[in-house]
Amino acid sequence: MPDRNGETFGSLEDLMSYLNAIENTMEGEVSKIADSIDAVTDRISTTLRAALGESAWFPDFKPPPPPPPPFVARHVGYYEASTNWISRHRAVTAAVVCFLGTGAYMIWRQRRANRMKRRAKRAKNGQRTEVLVLAGPPSAPLTRSLSLDLERRGFVVYITVNSLWEERLIQAESKADIHPLHIDITSPSSVSSTIRKFNDLLDPSYGPRYPLHLASFILLPQTPSTPQPGAIADLSADSWSDALTTHLLSPFTLLQAFLPLIQSHKSTMLFLTPTNPTSLSPPQRGLENVVGGGMERFISTLRKENATSEGGSIVQFKLGAFDDGSDRDAMKMAVALRHDNGNMSSTPSSPVTEQRRMRGSPLRELHLEVFDAIVGKSRGVVYAGRGSRTYDYLGRTMPEGLVGWMLGLRTIKQKEKAQANADEGAPSSAGSPGWEPVEQVSEGESR
């Protein structure tokens, strides 16, 4: 086989050696060419990198954000929507739950208390053993209502009287367990004799087989009502004497006579005092304000003295407006007060409007509260009737000037200006809508 120079290879080994030499030569040449290309590429990349790094005009390149996922509308149910709202407004939800829960509990408790049967204790043979003394005018609607309700609940009720006419008034009810208790507080010997006989009645050795227990002494002091309001300077000494004797001295003397018997039986003393609107101490109502304040101080002193002894509890009822007609007296007082100060409206009102305005709480509410106080479930001060708590709060906390403005009081200059406007035929600007004269109230009652 000839070679490239025309020579021939003598053997196969010579041929293989020749081919290996060619292969080595080619590998070296290829390696040199690759190294040259790498060097040139490195120089180009280094030059470009330096040029781009030193140039300030080349902007920074940021890839654009990916597109948002497509919105797919999903139907949310009421339950899921409610839970989502509750999770976002936890404070509001907690407040609403507390408010509704407290209100529901109070309503449930009130209804449960109203449905609960209230009956006095009796002996094993069914005989009545609980006795009450009701010190109040027998002709008053509140006295009659309380006596009938307490008698129906199993008490033996004694109503204090001081005249034959009042005794016949009680006997006309034809109730076997409502009795008159005649007591003349002007005669100390008569008072002592009556208390001794009443004590013998409770004693089992003189009375029935089973002993009687004086459960409570209920005092209903009446607030004096003057036909026409007047200033303190216009009240006579006889008016003051009659009011203080009838509405303060007489109840104090009566309670003082029964006090030893009350303490021995550990009876509950109940004071039912009106609140509307004497708690505001309106002007030109000196008799009512003095009697109400004197009764408040008497009850407070008696409560402190009773705390040191072993007597029964003392409960004061601050009464508001009821449907028995007592609220109309308070309304008359307020209307007359505004009438005297010239702060009245000339707009007439219908009897229906007057009836709605003078509507009070039902007497059943007072009956239940009185029974609970007798059996010891209530203590301290109990508010009963529409407006009792509000009037008492306003009288204790509101400034006198603001209370006077609410009652429609005006200064002398304002009265003179209103009178001048009335003389000229111009309507007074100080009128307060919604208040009518006493004559209209009386007309609404008669209808």
Side-chain angles (χ1 to χ4, degrees):
M1 178 180 295
D3 59 1
R4 61 181 179 178
N5 295 327
E7 298 178 354
T8 58
F9 298 99
S11 64
L12 183 61
E13 287 81 1
D14 295 337
L15 178 61
M16 295 300 297
S17 298
Y18 180 75
L19 292 177
N20 289 334
I22 294 174
E23 182 180 359
N24 293 333
T25 303
M26 291 181 66
E27 287 181 357
E29 293 297 332
V30 171
S31 178
K32 290 179 181 180
I33 294 173
D35 292 340
S36 300
I37 293 174
D38 290 340
V40 173
T41 304
D42 291 341
R43 285 196 299 270
I44 292 174
S45 62
T46 303
T47 304
L48 290 176
R49 190 182 298 110
L52 293 177
E54 294 175 357
S55 62
W57 59 268
F58 194 80
D60 295 335
F61 175 77
K62 293 183 179 180
F71 176 76
V72 179
R74 186 172 62 91
H75 178 70
V76 180
Y78 291 105
Y79 176 77
E80 186 175 357
S82 301
T83 55
N84 294 337
W85 189 91
I86 291 173
S87 62
R88 293 194 304 268
H89 306 83
R90 295 184 178 181
V92 178
T93 304
V96 172
V97 170
C98 292
F99 177 77
L100 295 179
T102 305
Y105 173 74
M106 294 179 63
I107 294 175
W108 171 81
R109 184 178 179 182
Q110 184 67 26
R111 290 184 176 179
R112 179 175 176 271
N114 293 339
R115 290 194 301 265
M116 183 178 60
K117 292 184 178 180
R118 292 171 169 83
R119 293 293 182 270
K121 296 180 180 179
R122 291 176 179 260
K124 295 181 180 180
N125 60 354
Q127 178 186 345
R128 301 191 178 198
T129 59
E130 300 293 319
V131 179
L132 301 177
V133 176
L134 190 59
S139 58
L142 187 58
T143 305
R144 181 176 181 274
S145 175
L146 274 178
S147 61
L148 294 176
D149 181 79
L150 293 174
E151 187 272 340
R152 182 176 61 86
R153 297 183 186 276
F155 291 98
V156 180
V157 183
Y158 285 87
I159 304 177
T160 59
V161 298
N162 53 15
S163 65
L164 184 60
W165 176 80
E166 293 180 345
E167 185 174 349
R168 291 177 179 176
L169 189 64
I170 296 175
Q171 293 175 353
E173 296 291 342
S174 301
K175 296 293 183 179
D177 293 302
I178 299 180
H179 309 281
L181 183 62
H182 195 281
I183 181 170
D184 186 9
I185 59 175
T186 59
S187 175
S189 59
S190 176
V191 172
S192 301
S193 175
T194 303
I195 297 299
R196 185 173 58 256
K197 292 180 180 179
F198 187 74
N199 190 18
D200 295 341
L201 180 65
L202 302 178
D203 192 352
S205 59
Y206 294 92
R209 176 181 177 184
Y210 289 94
L212 299 178
H213 172 251
L214 181 60
S216 177
F217 180 87
I218 305 175
L219 182 64
L220 283 78
Q222 298 295 315
T223 304
S225 57
T226 55
Q228 293 293 335
I232 293 179
D234 299 333
L235 297 177
S236 62
D238 294 338
S239 300
W240 284 106
S241 178
D242 294 342
L244 296 180
T245 302
T246 305
H247 302 283
L248 285 182
L249 184 59
S250 297
F252 295 169
T253 305
L254 184 62
L255 179 60
Q256 184 181 11
F258 277 93
L259 198 56
L261 189 60
I262 294 173
Q263 293 178 350
S264 63
H265 285 260
K266 296 183 179 180
S267 308
T268 304
M269 288 177 281
L270 306 184
F271 296 88
L272 279 66
T273 58
T275 306
N276 306 353
T278 54
S279 58
L280 301 180
S281 299
Q284 300 185 2
R285 292 288 175 177
L287 294 178
E288 292 89 338
N289 298 336
V290 170
V291 170
M295 186 60 65
E296 289 281 346
R297 301 283 78 79
F298 176 79
I299 297 174
S300 177
T301 304
L302 183 61
R303 180 179 287 112
K304 295 176 182 178
E305 293 179 356
N306 189 69
T308 59
S309 61
E310 297 181 355
S313 60
I314 297 177
V315 182
Q316 180 184 5
F317 282 80
K318 294 190 175 183
L319 306 182
F322 291 98
D323 285 338
D324 64 335
S326 59
D327 54 337
R328 298 186 180 184
D329 297 336
M331 180 62 69
K332 285 183 179 181
M333 182 183 299
V335 172
L337 179 62
R338 284 182 172 260
H339 179 72
D340 294 336
N341 289 275
N343 193 5
M344 301 298 300
S345 172
S346 58
T347 304
S349 62
S350 62
V352 177
T353 304
E354 291 293 339
Q355 184 178 2
R356 292 177 180 175
R357 186 174 300 150
M358 293 184 294
R359 184 178 301 172
S361 301
L363 277 174
R364 186 174 184 272
E365 176 184 342
L366 178 62
H367 297 162
L368 299 181
E369 293 290 348
V370 169
F371 183 89
D372 292 342
I374 293 174
V375 299
K377 293 183 179 180
S378 301
R379 295 181 180 274
V381 179
V382 177
Y383 295 92
R386 184 179 180 182
S388 59
R389 190 182 299 274
T390 304
Y391 273 87
D392 184 68
Y393 176 78
L394 293 178
R396 289 185 290 104
T397 60
M398 300 292 285
E400 294 184 0
L402 184 58
V403 173
W405 174 78
M406 293 173 59
L407 294 175
L409 305 182
R410 298 185 298 174
T411 60
I412 297 178
K413 293 183 179 180
Q414 292 175 339
K415 291 182 180 180
E416 293 177 353
K417 183 178 179 180
Q419 185 65 30
N421 293 336
D423 296 339
E424 294 176 2
S428 174
S429 60
S432 175
W435 292 90
E436 287 75 26
V438 181
E439 291 79 4
Q440 296 181 7
V441 177
S442 303
E443 182 180 357
E445 294 179 1
S446 61
R447 296 181 182 179

